[in-house]
Amino acid sequence: MKRRSFLKLSGLVMAAGALTSFSKVNAFSKLVKGTTENFSLEAIVKNPDYAAKLLEEFAKSGNLYNGLIKYSEYPIIGEVTGDLVFVSDNRLIDYTKSYDDISVQLREIRSKLSLPANLKNPVRIRLYKNNNDNISKLFVTQKGNIISNINPSIDDSYTYHGKSGKVVIKVNGGITSVTESECKHQICKKMNSIKNAGDYITCIPNELHIFAE
Amino acid sequence: MKSEKYFTPVITLVPGFRFGNVFYIITIILVLLTVVPQITFSQNDKVLFELSAKKSLMGTEFEITVVHSSIDTGKKAMYYALREVERIEKVTSNYKDTTEISYVNRNAFGQPVKVSDELFNLIQRSITYSKNLDGLFDITVGPLTDYWGFNSDHPIETEPDKKIIDSLLHFVNYKYLSLDTTNKTISFLKNGVSIDLGGIAKGYALDKACDVLKKKGVNNFLINGGGDIYASGLKADGSKWKVGVKNPRDENKLLAVMEITDMCVATSGDYERYKIINGKRYHHIFNPHDGFPSPFSQSASVITQTCEEGVVLSKYYFIMGYEKIRSSDYETSYPYFIVDSEEKIHYNNLIEDYKLILYR
């Protein structure tokens, strides 16, 4: 191979590589406008295994974040609207109208999951990354099912009933704690209050679990 | 013809390649630097998922966190690991009439009861621990645990009666258990003997859950069974898992943090299950020799290779207390961290290998 041909070929390969890189970054930037400090890709679905597979493929295609992504999965009791929701840096991303690669992929996933739809007793799955400890959501589960979604910024008390009796949860100034429980050992009352995303309180006798995201 | 020229560079380039040709080398390096990151990016090997699952089992909370490149593998591994704990609970729990150990407790006096290999081996190992630890670990504490009631919904409400406790001690001794290794049978040599595997079963279940996770292809995980923790592999960033020791008098605060990999940190504390009666704290870790809660420690943590060994030894260290441990062989046997009854912290040199950081 002559030096000229070799140079041409090398130039083409490098240009192709650079363009691929540019197009990916550009498409992602377009969607989330640069930073990926925090994101949440959440789907409420009837078929969590299939949905998790699709979201995993999406994440691995380099579209979310090149590092550790947290995954959670909880069943929801009752009838709710199932959908695919993408939040980046606390902004809801409307992928339904844009034509960049990522929006198109998210629309495909949504379509494959037959969303949006009214679903009875669905499962909520979520891929997310939190770089701060701020609580955006507070959930209560019983026997592993989400039974309540509490607004962590409104001071209020909530009462639940389990096998051992009543449990009262109080949200006060962004801090959530169990203030009353009719269980024997009262461990839930002694557990840490919920102050940051990731904190939780569990009442084993009543099978209640309160956690913050 | 042109395309042939372009797309056969490796074949045509190699014969003509000269080591002295710096131009070719620099160009190839540039191409590799541009293209290889793109291939890596598209495969995105660096995306890892952190998944958690928890379930109330064996009277406590089991929680697993795994780090894996596949959500499905992680989910299935956690599911089967928790199912394994559930299975062991059905063998070892005293608080369900249908378990294998409950059947043994009802029927083993005066007649051999055939048991599963798993239960036989667990009881056999328990007896070995009892012998090695001078009877300060003893699975025949069943009558005492029933009296104190900390593992049930009815913990003791009034001052304990020493006469009753002394009378119950007549039934507490691992030597009242007779094991037939050939036929895998167990019998009680005294009427009223009752086995309580609460001091070992959780550790055993944690070990079995770890085995399941590893068999299912998950090697980086943290599993916590009511404060006894096994850390396997590494975190996603390649660092070791950090395991904290709670302040026994303020569970919202940590006293220390250690860096752990492929080891168990087991802790016995007087804050887990207790009752304060007339200003005195009565907790669930009692000395099988006198039947009363051991007064020397608020908590004792040990680092061991298996959780079974860990949960047994943390009780032993707790019951013995720092003063007796420091003058025994156990001072240098295992890394330990003890908070004594006066809230003083004691630990040995071995624990410093785990990058112990004290918070007070």
Side-chain angles (χ1 to χ4, degrees), chain A residues 143-175:
Chain A
K143 295 180 182 174
N145 298 308
I146 292 176
I147 55 164
S148 180
N149 182 352
I150 296 174
N151 187 336
S153 54
I154 297 173
D155 290 354
D156 209 341
S157 289
Y158 305 86
T159 303
Y160 301 94
H161 294 274
K163 276 197 292 193
S164 293
K166 192 170 74 172
V167 179
V168 179
I169 298 164
K170 193 173 180 185
V171 181
N172 188 11
I175 297 170

mmCIF file of all heavy atoms in Angstrom, chain A residues 143-175:
data_model
loop_
_atom_site.group_PDB
_atom_site.id
_atom_site.type_symbol
_atom_site.label_atom_id
_atom_site.label_comp_id
_atom_site.label_asym_id
_atom_site.label_seq_id
_atom_site.Cartn_x
_atom_site.Cartn_y
_atom_site.Cartn_z
ATOM 1 N N LYS A 143 -46.152 -5.816 52.406
ATOM 2 C CA LYS A 143 -45.905 -7.114 51.773
ATOM 3 C C LYS A 143 -45.253 -6.918 50.405
ATOM 4 O O LYS A 143 -45.547 -7.640 49.452
ATOM 5 C CB LYS A 143 -47.202 -7.906 51.631
ATOM 6 C CG LYS A 143 -47.825 -8.291 52.956
ATOM 7 C CD LYS A 143 -49.093 -9.071 52.726
ATOM 8 C CE LYS A 143 -49.740 -9.409 54.060
ATOM 9 N NZ LYS A 143 -51.033 -10.039 53.912
ATOM 10 N N GLY A 144 -44.400 -5.922 50.280
ATOM 11 C CA GLY A 144 -43.662 -5.699 49.042
ATOM 12 C C GLY A 144 -44.387 -4.890 47.986
ATOM 13 O O GLY A 144 -43.807 -4.535 46.962
ATOM 14 N N ASN A 145 -45.667 -4.558 48.211
ATOM 15 C CA ASN A 145 -46.419 -3.785 47.217
ATOM 16 C C ASN A 145 -46.499 -2.322 47.630
ATOM 17 O O ASN A 145 -46.715 -2.024 48.818
ATOM 18 C CB ASN A 145 -47.853 -4.313 47.101
ATOM 19 C CG ASN A 145 -47.882 -5.737 46.624
ATOM 20 O OD1 ASN A 145 -47.287 -6.071 45.606
ATOM 21 N ND2 ASN A 145 -48.541 -6.600 47.382
ATOM 22 N N ILE A 146 -46.349 -1.423 46.660
ATOM 23 C CA ILE A 146 -46.506 -0.007 46.977
ATOM 24 C C ILE A 146 -47.979 0.252 47.297
ATOM 25 O O ILE A 146 -48.858 -0.036 46.493
ATOM 26 C CB ILE A 146 -46.064 0.881 45.796
ATOM 27 C CG1 ILE A 146 -44.548 0.759 45.591
ATOM 28 C CG2 ILE A 146 -46.431 2.345 46.044
ATOM 29 C CD1 ILE A 146 -44.004 1.508 44.391
ATOM 30 N N ILE A 147 -48.226 0.766 48.503
ATOM 31 C CA ILE A 147 -49.613 1.057 48.860
ATOM 32 C C ILE A 147 -49.854 2.550 49.003
ATOM 33 O O ILE A 147 -50.992 2.998 49.072
ATOM 34 C CB ILE A 147 -50.048 0.335 50.169
ATOM 35 C CG1 ILE A 147 -49.096 0.681 51.328
ATOM 36 C CG2 ILE A 147 -50.140 -1.151 49.977
ATOM 37 C CD1 ILE A 147 -49.662 0.334 52.692
ATOM 38 N N SER A 148 -48.769 3.331 49.043
ATOM 39 C CA SER A 148 -48.963 4.768 49.211
ATOM 40 C C SER A 148 -47.750 5.527 48.692
ATOM 41 O O SER A 148 -46.616 5.071 48.798
ATOM 42 C CB SER A 148 -49.168 5.051 50.708
ATOM 43 O OG SER A 148 -49.362 6.403 50.908
ATOM 44 N N ASN A 149 -48.038 6.699 48.118
ATOM 45 C CA ASN A 149 -46.999 7.584 47.598
ATOM 46 C C ASN A 149 -47.156 8.911 48.329
ATOM 47 O O ASN A 149 -48.140 9.616 48.136
ATOM 48 C CB ASN A 149 -47.242 7.721 46.084
ATOM 49 C CG ASN A 149 -46.198 8.577 45.414
ATOM 50 O OD1 ASN A 149 -45.366 9.191 46.078
ATOM 51 N ND2 ASN A 149 -46.254 8.631 44.095
ATOM 52 N N ILE A 150 -46.212 9.226 49.217
ATOM 53 C CA ILE A 150 -46.358 10.395 50.085
ATOM 54 C C ILE A 150 -45.542 11.557 49.544
ATOM 55 O O ILE A 150 -44.404 11.369 49.091
ATOM 56 C CB ILE A 150 -45.870 10.045 51.520
ATOM 57 C CG1 ILE A 150 -46.768 8.969 52.136
ATOM 58 C CG2 ILE A 150 -45.815 11.272 52.407
ATOM 59 C CD1 ILE A 150 -46.266 8.461 53.482
ATOM 60 N N ASN A 151 -46.115 12.737 49.617
ATOM 61 C CA ASN A 151 -45.368 13.934 49.221
ATOM 62 C C ASN A 151 -44.446 14.334 50.378
ATOM 63 O O ASN A 151 -44.915 14.726 51.445
ATOM 64 C CB ASN A 151 -46.348 15.073 48.909
ATOM 65 C CG ASN A 151 -45.625 16.281 48.336
ATOM 66 O OD1 ASN A 151 -44.437 16.475 48.561
ATOM 67 N ND2 ASN A 151 -46.364 17.094 47.585
ATOM 68 N N PRO A 152 -43.117 14.239 50.184
ATOM 69 C CA PRO A 152 -42.205 14.484 51.305
ATOM 70 C C PRO A 152 -42.092 15.960 51.707
ATOM 71 O O PRO A 152 -41.507 16.275 52.741
ATOM 72 C CB PRO A 152 -40.856 13.974 50.780
ATOM 73 C CG PRO A 152 -40.968 14.051 49.307
ATOM 74 C CD PRO A 152 -42.408 13.897 48.947
ATOM 75 N N SER A 153 -42.657 16.847 50.892
ATOM 76 C CA SER A 153 -42.518 18.274 51.221
ATOM 77 C C SER A 153 -43.741 18.831 51.959
ATOM 78 O O SER A 153 -43.778 20.000 52.316
ATOM 79 C CB SER A 153 -42.262 19.077 49.938
ATOM 80 O OG SER A 153 -43.266 18.803 49.005
ATOM 81 N N ILE A 154 -44.753 17.983 52.172
ATOM 82 C CA ILE A 154 -45.945 18.446 52.899
ATOM 83 C C ILE A 154 -45.980 17.781 54.282
ATOM 84 O O ILE A 154 -45.952 16.546 54.384
ATOM 85 C CB ILE A 154 -47.235 18.099 52.117
ATOM 86 C CG1 ILE A 154 -47.229 18.842 50.772
ATOM 87 C CG2 ILE A 154 -48.479 18.454 52.923
ATOM 88 C CD1 ILE A 154 -48.363 18.462 49.849
ATOM 89 N N ASP A 155 -46.025 18.595 55.319
ATOM 90 C CA ASP A 155 -46.094 18.059 56.679
ATOM 91 C C ASP A 155 -47.470 17.439 56.921
ATOM 92 O O ASP A 155 -48.496 18.100 56.733
ATOM 93 C CB ASP A 155 -45.854 19.170 57.717
ATOM 94 C CG ASP A 155 -44.416 19.642 57.699
ATOM 95 O OD1 ASP A 155 -43.613 19.025 56.975
ATOM 96 O OD2 ASP A 155 -44.103 20.620 58.388
ATOM 97 N N ASP A 156 -47.470 16.182 57.312
ATOM 98 C CA ASP A 156 -48.747 15.503 57.547
ATOM 99 C C ASP A 156 -48.493 14.182 58.284
ATOM 100 O O ASP A 156 -47.343 13.748 58.419
ATOM 101 C CB ASP A 156 -49.442 15.219 56.201
ATOM 102 C CG ASP A 156 -50.963 15.186 56.352
ATOM 103 O OD1 ASP A 156 -51.425 15.026 57.492
ATOM 104 O OD2 ASP A 156 -51.661 15.301 55.336
ATOM 105 N N SER A 157 -49.575 13.566 58.743
ATOM 106 C CA SER A 157 -49.473 12.241 59.363
ATOM 107 C C SER A 157 -50.269 11.236 58.536
ATOM 108 O O SER A 157 -51.295 11.592 57.942
ATOM 109 C CB SER A 157 -50.061 12.268 60.779
ATOM 110 O OG SER A 157 -49.204 12.987 61.617
ATOM 111 N N TYR A 158 -49.789 10.011 58.512
ATOM 112 C CA TYR A 158 -50.447 8.970 57.720
ATOM 113 C C TYR A 158 -50.579 7.712 58.584
ATOM 114 O O TYR A 158 -49.627 7.342 59.275
ATOM 115 C CB TYR A 158 -49.627 8.652 56.467
ATOM 116 C CG TYR A 158 -49.346 9.869 55.621
ATOM 117 C CD1 TYR A 158 -48.232 10.685 55.898
ATOM 118 C CD2 TYR A 158 -50.175 10.233 54.570
ATOM 119 C CE1 TYR A 158 -47.959 11.815 55.136
ATOM 120 C CE2 TYR A 158 -49.916 11.363 53.801
ATOM 121 C CZ TYR A 158 -48.808 12.156 54.089
ATOM 122 O OH TYR A 158 -48.559 13.259 53.340
ATOM 123 N N THR A 159 -51.735 7.094 58.543
ATOM 124 C CA THR A 159 -51.963 5.906 59.373
ATOM 125 C C THR A 159 -52.156 4.676 58.495
ATOM 126 O O THR A 159 -52.890 4.720 57.496
ATOM 127 C CB THR A 159 -53.215 6.109 60.251
ATOM 128 O OG1 THR A 159 -53.010 7.290 61.030
ATOM 129 C CG2 THR A 159 -53.427 4.932 61.198
ATOM 130 N N TYR A 160 -51.473 3.613 58.870
ATOM 131 C CA TYR A 160 -51.592 2.346 58.142
ATOM 132 C C TYR A 160 -51.902 1.237 59.152
ATOM 133 O O TYR A 160 -51.633 1.376 60.340
ATOM 134 C CB TYR A 160 -50.292 2.028 57.393
ATOM 135 C CG TYR A 160 -49.931 3.109 56.402
ATOM 136 C CD1 TYR A 160 -49.069 4.141 56.780
ATOM 137 C CD2 TYR A 160 -50.479 3.136 55.129
ATOM 138 C CE1 TYR A 160 -48.752 5.159 55.890
ATOM 139 C CE2 TYR A 160 -50.171 4.146 54.236
ATOM 140 C CZ TYR A 160 -49.310 5.166 54.624
ATOM 141 O OH TYR A 160 -49.018 6.160 53.753
ATOM 142 N N HIS A 161 -52.447 0.144 58.655
ATOM 143 C CA HIS A 161 -52.780 -0.974 59.544
ATOM 144 C C HIS A 161 -52.131 -2.255 59.031
ATOM 145 O O HIS A 161 -52.171 -2.551 57.837
ATOM 146 C CB HIS A 161 -54.298 -1.151 59.628
ATOM 147 C CG HIS A 161 -54.967 0.021 60.290
ATOM 148 N ND1 HIS A 161 -55.104 0.112 61.658
ATOM 149 C CD2 HIS A 161 -55.467 1.175 59.773
ATOM 150 C CE1 HIS A 161 -55.689 1.271 61.954
ATOM 151 N NE2 HIS A 161 -55.924 1.928 60.823
ATOM 152 N N GLY A 162 -51.530 -2.992 59.957
ATOM 153 C CA GLY A 162 -50.906 -4.269 59.597
ATOM 154 C C GLY A 162 -51.361 -5.352 60.548
ATOM 155 O O GLY A 162 -52.313 -5.154 61.315
ATOM 156 N N LYS A 163 -50.643 -6.470 60.538
ATOM 157 C CA LYS A 163 -51.034 -7.626 61.363
ATOM 158 C C LYS A 163 -50.998 -7.313 62.858
ATOM 159 O O LYS A 163 -51.787 -7.841 63.628
ATOM 160 C CB LYS A 163 -50.089 -8.796 61.073
ATOM 161 C CG LYS A 163 -50.489 -9.593 59.852
ATOM 162 C CD LYS A 163 -49.815 -10.950 59.821
ATOM 163 C CE LYS A 163 -48.328 -10.822 59.597
ATOM 164 N NZ LYS A 163 -47.670 -12.085 59.256
ATOM 165 N N SER A 164 -50.051 -6.442 63.264
ATOM 166 C CA SER A 164 -49.924 -6.138 64.689
ATOM 167 C C SER A 164 -50.681 -4.887 65.104
ATOM 168 O O SER A 164 -50.631 -4.490 66.264
ATOM 169 C CB SER A 164 -48.451 -5.968 65.057
ATOM 170 O OG SER A 164 -47.793 -7.180 64.923
ATOM 171 N N GLY A 165 -51.321 -4.228 64.159
ATOM 172 C CA GLY A 165 -52.122 -3.049 64.502
ATOM 173 C C GLY A 165 -51.723 -1.816 63.714
ATOM 174 O O GLY A 165 -51.217 -1.905 62.596
ATOM 175 N N LYS A 166 -51.917 -0.670 64.390
ATOM 176 C CA LYS A 166 -51.768 0.621 63.715
ATOM 177 C C LYS A 166 -50.306 1.089 63.667
ATOM 178 O O LYS A 166 -49.562 0.881 64.616
ATOM 179 C CB LYS A 166 -52.613 1.635 64.501
ATOM 180 C CG LYS A 166 -52.821 2.957 63.830
ATOM 181 C CD LYS A 166 -53.859 3.773 64.576
ATOM 182 C CE LYS A 166 -53.305 4.334 65.869
ATOM 183 N NZ LYS A 166 -54.208 5.290 66.541
ATOM 184 N N VAL A 167 -49.936 1.749 62.554
ATOM 185 C CA VAL A 167 -48.624 2.401 62.453
ATOM 186 C C VAL A 167 -48.867 3.822 61.952
ATOM 187 O O VAL A 167 -49.572 4.012 60.952
ATOM 188 C CB VAL A 167 -47.689 1.679 61.456
ATOM 189 C CG1 VAL A 167 -46.350 2.396 61.350
ATOM 190 C CG2 VAL A 167 -47.456 0.240 61.868
ATOM 191 N N VAL A 168 -48.324 4.810 62.666
ATOM 192 C CA VAL A 168 -48.505 6.200 62.243
ATOM 193 C C VAL A 168 -47.160 6.763 61.785
ATOM 194 O O VAL A 168 -46.155 6.692 62.497
ATOM 195 C CB VAL A 168 -49.077 7.074 63.387
ATOM 196 C CG1 VAL A 168 -49.237 8.523 62.926
ATOM 197 C CG2 VAL A 168 -50.408 6.512 63.863
ATOM 198 N N ILE A 169 -47.159 7.308 60.580
ATOM 199 C CA ILE A 169 -45.963 7.913 59.999
ATOM 200 C C ILE A 169 -46.165 9.419 59.969
ATOM 201 O O ILE A 169 -47.234 9.892 59.573
ATOM 202 C CB ILE A 169 -45.738 7.399 58.557
ATOM 203 C CG1 ILE A 169 -45.507 5.890 58.562
ATOM 204 C CG2 ILE A 169 -44.587 8.113 57.889
ATOM 205 C CD1 ILE A 169 -45.661 5.265 57.200
ATOM 206 N N LYS A 170 -45.143 10.156 60.373
ATOM 207 C CA LYS A 170 -45.277 11.607 60.376
ATOM 208 C C LYS A 170 -44.191 12.228 59.514
ATOM 209 O O LYS A 170 -43.007 11.882 59.645
ATOM 210 C CB LYS A 170 -45.161 12.122 61.811
ATOM 211 C CG LYS A 170 -45.582 13.564 61.962
ATOM 212 C CD LYS A 170 -45.604 13.947 63.428
ATOM 213 C CE LYS A 170 -46.035 15.390 63.580
ATOM 214 N NZ LYS A 170 -45.965 15.833 64.965
ATOM 215 N N VAL A 171 -44.595 13.136 58.630
ATOM 216 C CA VAL A 171 -43.632 13.919 57.841
ATOM 217 C C VAL A 171 -43.611 15.318 58.438
ATOM 218 O O VAL A 171 -44.653 15.964 58.563
ATOM 219 C CB VAL A 171 -44.045 13.991 56.351
ATOM 220 C CG1 VAL A 171 -43.024 14.795 55.557
ATOM 221 C CG2 VAL A 171 -44.197 12.604 55.759
ATOM 222 N N ASN A 172 -42.434 15.743 58.861
ATOM 223 C CA ASN A 172 -42.332 17.052 59.506
ATOM 224 C C ASN A 172 -41.033 17.726 59.082
ATOM 225 O O ASN A 172 -39.942 17.245 59.413
ATOM 226 C CB ASN A 172 -42.381 16.875 61.039
ATOM 227 C CG ASN A 172 -42.479 18.206 61.761
ATOM 228 O OD1 ASN A 172 -42.715 19.235 61.137
ATOM 229 N ND2 ASN A 172 -42.292 18.181 63.069
ATOM 230 N N GLY A 173 -41.147 18.809 58.344
ATOM 231 C CA GLY A 173 -39.958 19.546 57.910
ATOM 232 C C GLY A 173 -39.014 18.712 57.071
ATOM 233 O O GLY A 173 -37.793 18.835 57.196
ATOM 234 N N GLY A 174 -39.574 17.837 56.240
ATOM 235 C CA GLY A 174 -38.738 17.021 55.352
ATOM 236 C C GLY A 174 -38.202 15.758 56.007
ATOM 237 O O GLY A 174 -37.503 14.976 55.382
ATOM 238 N N ILE A 175 -38.505 15.578 57.302
ATOM 239 C CA ILE A 175 -38.037 14.386 58.015
ATOM 240 C C ILE A 175 -39.232 13.470 58.289
ATOM 241 O O ILE A 175 -40.258 13.923 58.798
ATOM 242 C CB ILE A 175 -37.333 14.764 59.334
ATOM 243 C CG1 ILE A 175 -36.091 15.592 59.019
ATOM 244 C CG2 ILE A 175 -36.970 13.528 60.143
ATOM 245 C CD1 ILE A 175 -35.441 16.214 60.232
#
